[in-house]
Amino acid sequence: MNFEILAPAGGMESLIAGVRSGANAVYLGGKLFNARRNAGNFNDEELKKAVEYCHQRGVKVYLTLNILLCDNELDQGYNQVKYALEAGVDAFIVQDVGVAQMIKECFPQSRIHASTQMSIMTPSGVKAAKELGFSRVVLPREMSIEEINEISNNTDIELELFVHGALCMCVSGQCYLSSVLGSRSGNRGLCAQPCRLPFTAGGDSKHALSLKDLSLIGHLDELDCITSLKIEGRMKRPEYVSAAVAAVKKAINGEYGTGDEFMLRSVFSRSGFTDGYLTAKRGRDMFGIRQKEDVTSASRVLKDISHNYDNENPLIPMDIEFTCVQNQPAVLKAYALGREAEIVGDIPEAAINKPMTVEALTDRLSKLGGTQFYAGNINITLDDGLILPVSKINEMRRLAVDKINKEERPCITALSFTAPKSIEKTGVKYATASFKSAEQIPDRHPFKRVFIPLDSPIEDFIDNRAGAVIPRGLFGQEKKITKQLERLKKAGVRNILCGNIDSYKLAKDMGFEVFGDFGLNIFNSMSAKHFNSPILSFELELNQANQINADDTGIIAYGRLPLMLTRNCPVKNDIGCAKCMGKGVLTDRKGFQFPVICSDYPCVEILNSVPVYMLDRLNEIKTDFIHFVFTVESKSQIEDIIKLYESGAKPDFKYTRGLYQRGLI
């Protein structure tokens, strides 16, 4: 099996541990703009040293730029990309569509990988990523082997998959729990992991959102379509990185056994590991928390593991040609890492006692201990009766190693970049709305565009002149979605609301007028320009949203914000669907209740306990439109909300201003 082993590096010690344990590539973050801002990460000088260390060992370096950037950060993002490329970084892991555009336009030679935070989960999504300039897609952790193969069979770009590490309850990029509850956004690199806190779902489970750690190391023979095997853990200690890399390497070589799994579990686990998503065996067995015995097990093995990367591990073969003939300086040529070094030494002398032999020279030139190299092919041309001091031969060998290790800085083509200028719009002009069911739609309403679920009856679309909302959780659903869109097209439906690039690409290619939903995480003007009439991220502050420089933008002004999109229904796992009857709720440790919304598609949504409400502050909203999201409301409640909108009054129910007012940390 020919895989890239991709190791996490939260700091230099973890990077060294991963490389010495057998990683082929590492991913790391700078001090800004990465999804693990609480890791040690690398400043500019540390990044340069990290790249140098890795490239000397044939290891690639991928820099994470996998968060959303606002307009006033794009210049800094440009500068970080420029410096990273000059330092020799091999690729960038990117979430933000606007950032991806900036990188490809300004640094055309660069490689970008689509972060799992982009929520790409279908063949159409991968095609969209390729059109945006991505050369690799990091797939969601929630995919089954059949769904992975469906994508692989329909693309020629590289695929990367997490095979070991922490597992989030929510689809990456679609989690807003930490930001809405505590202003610490996963999409901005500061997730506080509130899902690990106590949540109940009606049964006896006390941690209904805490999954065990993922481990697919025993399934590598099924993943031959994957280019890169990714290990999660930039917040983990070096011993963890070393153990995980070593385990993956053993599995690739067919040497992974129960003892290795026990070691991994001892290093770090949450009640063990799960492969439930890959095997499509989702359910309660996938859940677990960090327990006392997990911590105790770790303390026993960490010291032993740390010795695995104490010393340099010779990873790279070095071929050597050595020529030593009469009356000419000795010449040593070394070849490694695709580079060549030539060292010219002294003129050999006639030997008085013991002349040099090919065998002795071979032994001397093979002594590469303490470096990352081991001796490959050694070819020697030697005249009889000659001698060179051992110290001179050793010096030639050391100089050759030093010269091979010196990588020339790449020549960077950097086109200039001008960040979008903020604008002042005149204010809200119109309103749109999406409904969980057509039965909620009032007979009289003010909405210019109305959207209902994709699988609604045809007559509901016709009677309400409605467009369709394509669900965000599309795992394995592309063929089904395509058939449903064909049905709507024949019926004359034209408008489609899409919350990920997968469905946006699919619906647009089919000839619909496609609108961008909040799940696209549109955070800056560059990303907003990619999509038609986009609903901006509700993680923006209101003044940031107001200044987005793109045509026809909107924000959610009313609705229960979706905090999680998850493929594992916590209520189903705890009490079962029969008892839930579509009215499930989660309850946190403070007693707040969060509705859980079922779907005919692979995911459920967990909503906020109260709706966001901005209808009494419309004069402060300068976007072109506002959007209403109706989920658990009855038709009469919606009629009351419309009256509040028309009067601009405050409501008599509990609400939140969301992040529009308090912003993110």
Side-chain angles (χ1 to χ4, degrees):
M1 294 182 285
N2 186 24
F3 295 111
E4 173 186 88
I5 303 175
L6 178 55
M12 195 64 187
E13 190 178 353
S14 291
L15 182 145
I16 291 171
V19 171
R20 289 184 175 176
S21 299
N24 309 109
V26 299
Y27 64 102
L28 50 82
K31 291 296 185 180
L32 300 172
F33 310 141
N34 78 89
R36 293 292 182 271
R37 285 162 61 192
N38 284 331
N41 295 316
F42 295 76
N43 63 29
D44 285 351
E45 192 58 35
E46 290 166 342
L47 177 63
K48 189 186 298 182
K49 290 178 180 178
V51 174
E52 184 177 76
Y53 178 88
C54 288
H55 284 187
Q56 287 173 354
R57 288 150 184 84
V59 173
K60 293 182 178 180
V61 178
Y62 306 143
L63 184 72
T64 56
L65 281 170
N66 53 344
I67 66 167
L68 307 175
L69 270 62
C70 54
D71 280 344
N72 63 10
E73 294 171 329
L74 289 172
D75 279 330
Q76 286 178 288
Y78 171 89
N79 291 334
Q80 184 166 23
V81 171
K82 186 174 185 291
Y83 182 86
L85 285 172
E86 290 170 346
V89 161
D90 297 284
F92 299 91
I93 304 173
V94 179
Q95 175 187 7
D96 192 309
V97 169
V99 173
Q101 178 187 339
M102 177 266 288
I103 294 174
K104 293 307 293 183
E105 288 183 355
C106 298
F107 308 96
Q109 77 277 32
S110 63
R111 284 173 55 88
I112 53 175
H113 298 171
S115 169
T116 188
Q117 296 280 116
M118 288 189 73
S119 312
I120 295 171
M121 59 190 76
T122 69
S124 285
V126 175
K127 290 175 185 174
K130 184 177 181 180
E131 290 176 1
L132 288 167
F134 289 98
S135 59
R136 179 184 292 186
V137 170
V138 187
L139 296 175
R141 296 166 173 88
E142 294 81 8
M143 300 196 77
S144 70
I145 189 63
E146 289 79 10
E147 292 158 355
I148 292 171
N149 287 333
E150 180 189 15
I151 287 179
S152 173
N153 293 335
N154 287 279
T155 187
D156 59 356
I157 70 172
E158 297 176 353
L159 301 177
E160 180 176 302
L161 183 70
F162 282 95
V163 295
H164 190 80
L167 192 57
C168 298
M169 182 68 176
C170 183
V171 175
S172 292
Q174 301 301 311
C175 187
Y176 311 99
L177 184 69
S178 181
S179 62
V180 172
L181 298 189
S183 293
R184 296 171 61 90
S185 169
N187 284 322
R188 293 280 291 166
L190 286 174
C191 178
Q193 298 186 359
C195 52
R196 303 297 181 186
L197 296 173
F199 281 87
T200 59
D204 57 4
S205 174
K206 300 295 188 248
H207 291 83
L209 297 179
S210 182
L211 291 167
K212 295 177 180 178
D213 278 20
L214 169 78
S215 192
L216 307 181
I217 298 176
H219 293 277
L220 299 191
D221 58 337
E222 303 171 61
L223 299 174
D224 58 353
C225 63
I226 298 297
T227 298
S228 182
L229 306 178
K230 188 171 194 173
I231 298 166
E232 183 277 337
R234 282 195 290 139
M235 301 288 288
K236 301 276 192 358
R237 56 194 304 156
E239 294 90 343
Y240 167 91
V241 176
S242 174
V245 169
V248 174
K249 190 170 184 178
K250 278 189 172 184
I252 291 172
N253 295 331
E255 301 167 355
Y256 183 73
T258 55
D260 301 300
E261 183 175 345
F262 176 78
M263 175 66 76
L264 275 181
R265 179 168 177 167
S266 298
V267 173
F268 192 93
S269 77
R270 291 181 172 88
S271 311
F273 300 126
T274 179
D275 58 6
Y277 285 131
L278 189 78
T279 59
K281 294 178 181 177
R282 297 179 290 276
R284 195 165 186 174
D285 288 344
M286 292 184 67
F287 288 74
I289 58 172
R290 186 83 168 140
Q291 298 178 332
K292 183 178 180 180
E293 50 266 37
D294 297 323
V295 179
T296 303
S297 296
S299 64
R300 297 194 196 106
V301 301
L302 290 175
K303 188 174 182 181
D304 291 338
I305 294 171
S306 67
H307 295 308
N308 294 344
Y309 54 91
D310 279 344
N311 300 311
E312 186 71 65
N313 186 5
L315 301 166
I316 309 297
M318 177 178 283
D319 296 334
I320 296 174
E321 296 175 1
F322 190 80
T323 302
C324 186
V325 295
Q326 275 187 331
N327 302 320
Q328 294 184 29
V331 176
L332 187 155
K333 292 183 179 179
Y335 306 89
L337 297 168
R339 307 171 201 163
E340 176 182 339
E342 180 177 311
I343 306 298
V344 179
D346 293 346
I347 297 173
E349 298 177 356
I352 298 173
N353 294 317
K354 276 187 168 183
M356 292 186 296
T357 65
V358 170
E359 292 76 18
L361 276 172
T362 300
D363 181 63
R364 177 60 51 190
L365 295 171
S366 298
K367 295 182 182 299
L368 295 165
T371 75
Q372 71 274 35
F373 300 107
Y374 63 88
N377 298 316
I378 298 181
N379 297 310
I380 296 175
T381 302
L382 176 65
D383 283 353
D384 293 335
L386 299 179
I387 188 73
L388 268 176
V390 168
S391 61
K392 296 295 184 180
I393 298 171
N394 289 343
E395 182 183 17
M396 293 177 74
R397 186 193 62 226
R398 285 194 297 269
L399 290 172
V401 169
D402 290 344
K403 196 167 184 180
I404 288 288
N405 274 332
K406 287 182 180 178
E407 181 182 27
E408 290 186 13
R409 297 287 177 193
C411 182
I412 301 302
T413 301
L415 304 180
S416 62
F417 172 70
T418 303
K421 295 182 179 179
S422 61
I423 59 171
E424 285 293 338
K425 295 188 176 182
T426 57
V428 173
K429 300 181 180 65
Y430 67 95
T432 63
S434 58
F435 296 83
K436 180 69 172 62
S437 166
E439 295 176 357
Q440 297 172 297
I441 302 176
D443 298 329
R444 173 190 163 276
H445 64 74
F447 306 122
K448 178 179 178 180
R449 294 189 294 271
V450 168
F451 299 96
I452 58 177
L454 178 66
D455 57 355
S456 301
I458 287 293
E459 54 268 24
D460 287 346
F461 289 99
I462 296 172
D463 293 346
N464 294 285
R465 290 181 292 178
V469 180
I470 298 182
R472 288 176 292 148
L474 297 180
F475 300 99
Q477 300 293 300
E478 184 161 304
K479 292 179 181 177
K480 176 182 176 180
I481 298 291
T482 301
K483 289 181 181 178
Q484 290 173 320
L485 289 174
E486 289 171 346
R487 174 183 68 110
L488 295 183
K489 195 170 185 180
K490 289 178 181 177
V493 176
R494 288 289 174 264
N495 294 346
I496 305 292
L497 185 62
C498 297
N500 60 25
I501 69 169
D502 306 59
S503 57
Y504 197 96
K505 165 74 173 168
L506 180 63
K508 188 175 182 180
D509 285 352
M510 292 182 68
F512 289 93
E513 184 170 4
V514 187
F515 300 87
D517 206 353
F518 68 88
L520 291 164
N521 291 321
I522 297 169
F523 215 74
N524 56 63
S525 299
M526 291 187 71
S527 56
K529 291 177 185 293
H530 273 283
F531 303 102
N532 179 46
S533 302
I535 298 168
L536 305 175
S537 169
F538 53 74
E539 293 187 296
L540 287 166
E541 292 182 44
L542 185 57
N543 68 308
Q544 292 174 317
N546 284 340
Q547 293 178 19
I548 292 292
N549 187 353
D551 293 336
D552 203 32
T553 60
I555 64 167
I556 295 175
Y558 172 83
R560 287 182 184 253
L561 299 178
L563 303 183
M564 276 192 173
L565 178 76
T566 176
R567 199 165 184 184
N568 230 320
C569 178
V571 180
K572 178 182 178 180
N573 292 333
D574 208 22
I575 63 174
C577 294
K579 191 172 180 180
C580 169
M581 298 179 65
K583 297 181 180 179
V585 294
L586 274 177
T587 305
D588 70 6
R589 67 194 191 285
K590 297 180 180 179
F592 291 105
Q593 292 190 324
F594 304 85
V596 179
I597 303 298
C598 293
S599 171
D600 293 331
Y601 300 91
C603 296
V604 300
E605 288 188 314
I606 300 171
L607 307 181
N608 198 12
S609 57
V610 296
V612 67
Y613 187 90
M614 296 292 292
L615 304 181
D616 59 329
R617 296 175 66 172
L618 294 180
N619 62 316
E620 299 175 34
I621 301 174
K622 305 301 181 183
T623 55
D624 300 284
F625 68 95
I626 58 171
H627 187 69
F628 294 68
V629 180
F630 296 116
T631 50
V632 298
E633 297 86 353
S634 66
K635 185 175 181 177
S636 62
Q637 288 173 324
I638 291 172
E639 289 172 338
D640 291 339
I641 291 164
I642 290 173
K643 290 177 183 176
L644 289 171
Y645 162 58
E646 292 173 338
S647 66
K650 286 189 175 182
D652 57 1
F653 50 79
K654 290 184 178 180
Y655 63 92
T656 178
R657 302 296 189 188
L659 295 160
Y660 298 137
Q661 180 172 293
R662 56 188 164 90
L664 295 169
I665 293 175

